[in-house]
Amino acid sequence: MSINFEESLVEIQKKFFEIYDECGKTFWKGCGSYLFNGQSYDYYDGMKEKQKLLFDLSKKHKSVLEIGTYMGHSSLIMLAANPTLKIVTIDIDPTYSTRSINYLSKNYPVADVKLLLGNSHEIIPTLSEKFDFFHIDGNHENSHVEKEIELCMKLSSSEIVTILFDDVGCCWPSIWHIQKNYRIVELIVPNCEWQNALVVFKK
Ligand SMILES: C[S@@+](CC[C@H](N)C(=O)[O-])C[C@H]1O[C@@H](n2cnc3c(N)ncnc32)[C@H](O)[C@@H]1O
């Protein structure tokens, strides 16, 4: 039975508040996620289209490498879409990522969710397993993201590389970098606030 995004929103919103409890009802003021705007801890439906893009992508794949865990909200969307997904998620800061990933591991026992703490540039070169897609949502400086792209490409399970970039408003130059050096086969940018962008390209 295929899982539907709209129907999953009830589960996602319930777990979104449970994660808040796990995190001692705190968050970094000004730092948002796929599910809230970083000002108040309320589900934000102005980002529904990008939530759906992440959800639908997760349904189609078996494994993902994510950069930027924060409170585990994007991981939650991926697991609600695909409760058997293998997720390796990297964050430089343990404050919220540790508690939220512990919560998600307990709540999705069939999935394989692993948190790696450290700078993406140092962690990714230590990995040898391959991934079906990548979610880049850590440090949004373009020089940083461009290096992440090159590192992720080496871990792609296919010659066709699938990367979802969050907050694409900050990282268009990184996408032009892909456009200049590789052949883009698909580019999707949903119509919503704080857009993400799905870029599929040939190595
Ligand atoms: C916008 S938040 C991620 C939000 C999350 N993907 C979500 O929507 O639920 C960005 C996260 O990236 C982490 N980060 C920043 N620079 C990083 C780096 N160089 N390596 C790994 N993580 C990094 C931050 O600690 C922060 O938790």
Side-chain angles (χ1 to χ4, degrees):
M1 192 188 71
S2 178
I3 302 177
N4 169 289
F5 172 69
E6 289 291 335
E7 286 167 11
S8 294
L9 272 177
V10 175
E11 170 190 336
I12 289 171
Q13 291 183 30
K14 177 175 173 281
K15 291 188 164 66
F16 166 73
F17 286 109
E18 288 174 0
I19 287 175
Y20 191 40
D21 291 338
E22 292 289 323
C23 294
K25 289 194 167 26
T26 62
F27 61 90
W28 289 318
K29 194 87 175 163
C31 185
S33 75
Y34 264 71
L35 295 175
F36 81 122
N37 65 11
Q39 296 305 321
S40 64
Y41 200 93
D42 296 303
Y43 171 73
Y44 196 76
D45 71 357
M47 292 187 276
K48 226 178 195 180
E49 290 305 312
K50 74 178 209 179
Q51 294 162 8
K52 185 171 184 310
L53 183 60
L54 176 62
F55 185 94
D56 289 342
L57 189 63
S58 307
K59 276 191 346 188
K60 288 194 277 190
H61 295 287
K62 291 192 171 136
S63 62
V64 56
L65 175 64
E66 171 173 79
I67 303 163
T69 317
Y70 190 23
M71 301 179 85
H73 296 162
S74 43
S75 291
L76 166 59
I77 293 172
M78 294 193 274
L79 289 165
N82 182 352
T84 64
L85 191 65
K86 175 183 176 175
I87 303 180
V88 174
T89 180
I90 302 172
D91 206 291
I92 203 164
D93 190 305
T95 312
Y96 295 113
S97 53
T98 309
R99 286 182 269 180
S100 56
I101 294 304
N102 278 343
Y103 166 88
L104 289 173
S105 299
K106 274 190 223 136
N107 279 271
Y108 292 95
V110 181
D112 181 1
V113 189
K114 196 185 336 166
L115 169 67
L116 301 177
L117 290 171
N119 187 330
S120 58
H121 284 185
E122 285 158 22
I123 301 271
I124 301 173
T126 68
L127 303 177
S128 53
E129 65 248 66
K130 303 285 182 194
F131 297 91
D132 296 341
F133 79 100
F134 302 88
H135 181 223
I136 298 190
D137 189 16
N139 175 336
H140 289 89
E141 277 172 38
N142 281 284
S143 57
H144 192 91
V145 174
E146 279 171 25
K147 183 155 180 212
E148 287 174 340
I149 294 168
E150 300 296 333
L151 292 171
C152 287
M153 281 176 64
K154 294 187 185 149
L155 300 181
S156 174
S157 60
S158 158
E159 285 298 299
I160 302 292
V161 183
T162 300
I163 304 183
L164 184 64
F165 295 88
D166 194 29
D167 294 320
V168 72
C170 315
C171 54
W172 277 112
S174 302
I175 292 174
W176 299 331
H177 166 82
I178 296 177
Q179 218 156 18
K180 198 170 142 217
N181 295 290
Y182 307 101
R183 187 168 63 81
I184 293 190
V185 293
E186 192 175 17
L187 173 63
I188 300 176
V189 183
N191 185 12
C192 66
E193 292 180 58
W194 295 296
Q195 290 162 310
N196 55 3
L198 176 64
V199 184
V200 182
F201 62 98
K202 184 146 182 1
K203 273 197 216 179

